Amino acid sequence: MKFFLDTANVQEIREAASLGLLDGVTTNPSLVAKEGREFIPLLKEICSIVSGPISAEVISTQYSEILQEARELAAIHQNIVVKIPLIKDGLKAVKTLSNEGIKTNVTLCFSPSQALMAAKAGATYISPFIGRLDDISHDGMKLIKQIVTIYRNYGFATQVLVASVRHPIHVVQAALLGADVCTMPFKVLEQLIHHPLTNSGIERFLADWKTLQSK
Ligand code: E4P
């Protein structure tokens, strides 16, 4: 399973990249707005830190404008994946861009039928938002299971990118279901590492070792 960081914060990206386990980055307009920086220079800086897919989202919702924005974003760096919302014009644009060899990440997916349409349009990634489904008492992970099954049934090449991740269990469940990628906030990446028994275990080992030294 590939790990993407779901942030536009350069400090977090640098720290995660230094672990050597970071495969890519996903951004969205809200995450970029949080940084209070100009989009394109920020994107270029992210591309210089991580040598993997970097998702950058279009703002347009009309076919021709989506295409123009997508082509401009894709021209910035070879690792840019253009994030496009799951609407009719978006799918049409994904089909055109996929024919041009531009990679796409279809975002704001909340149903298996939407995921099926994105795969048929030739999306590189589909981003089902599981946390936002959980937030309204729907089972986000059930959607991942349905999409993975549908894509396997037909051998679609579109990769399932689990998004809107809120906690480590989401990552573990997504891995059990065979999702291709999980994009997560920095906090969740750190939470995946920690276990209180590991910490207390180290403390005990070191304390025991100390008693040996004093003999
Ligand atoms: C990433 O691709 C999505 O934009 C992001 O995971 C959404 O997360 P949120 O639901 O926490 O805003």
Side-chain angles (χ1 to χ4, degrees):
M1 175 188 248
K2 285 182 186 142
F3 278 13
F4 289 180
L5 205 62
D6 197 22
T7 186
N9 183 283
V10 166
Q11 208 178 317
E12 287 181 349
I13 294 169
R14 281 191 200 285
E15 203 173 327
S18 73
L19 265 178
L21 303 172
L22 188 62
D23 300 299
V25 173
T26 50
T27 67
N28 65 34
S30 308
L31 291 170
V32 172
K34 225 166 91 181
E35 297 309 306
R37 286 184 54 185
E38 228 186 293
F39 185 34
I40 304 303
L42 175 60
L43 209 49
K44 285 182 179 166
E45 190 173 347
I46 295 172
C47 289
S48 74
I49 303 168
V50 180
S51 61
I54 313 292
S55 286
E57 191 159 339
V58 298
I59 303 303
S60 318
T61 52
Q62 303 297 316
Y63 174 69
S64 51
E65 281 109 62
I66 292 174
L67 278 188
Q68 193 189 331
E69 225 187 305
R71 287 172 185 142
E72 282 167 13
L73 287 171
I76 291 172
H77 193 280
Q78 57 179 9
N79 288 342
I80 296 280
V81 175
V82 185
K83 226 168 158 187
I84 296 176
L86 213 157
I87 51 176
K88 209 195 271 184
D89 280 43
L91 288 177
K92 202 172 148 188
V94 168
K95 180 74 188 165
T96 304
L97 293 166
S98 125
N99 290 338
E100 291 175 18
I102 291 178
K103 291 194 171 124
T104 54
N105 173 357
V106 178
T107 189
L108 291 165
C109 170
F110 294 97
S111 78
S113 62
Q114 289 182 312
L116 182 55
M117 295 302 277
K120 283 190 73 66
T124 315
Y125 300 95
I126 181 71
S127 283
F129 278 30
I130 56 170
R132 291 193 197 184
L133 280 171
D134 289 356
D135 288 346
I136 57 158
S137 299
H138 284 249
D139 185 352
M141 210 43 76
K142 188 176 161 199
L143 175 61
I144 302 303
K145 193 173 185 182
Q146 289 171 322
I147 298 173
V148 167
T149 304
I150 290 169
Y151 283 10
R152 283 204 187 130
N153 283 348
Y154 295 97
F156 283 120
T158 304
Q159 295 182 52
V160 181
L161 195 171
V162 179
S164 187
V165 161
R166 302 271 193 263
H167 47 70
I169 298 293
H170 273 154
V171 182
V172 173
Q173 288 174 330
L176 286 168
L177 291 173
D180 302 283
V181 191
C182 211
T183 189
M184 63 200 85
F186 184 71
K187 182 180 160 217
V188 174
L189 182 73
E190 290 208 301
Q191 284 174 326
L192 286 172
I193 301 166
H194 297 296
H195 196 288
L197 289 179
T198 305
N199 295 344
S200 59
I202 289 174
E203 268 172 40
R204 198 189 302 169
F205 282 154
L206 294 181
D208 289 346
W209 188 254
K210 233 177 183 174
T211 63
L212 178 68
Q213 308 304 306
S214 58
K215 272 183 189 156

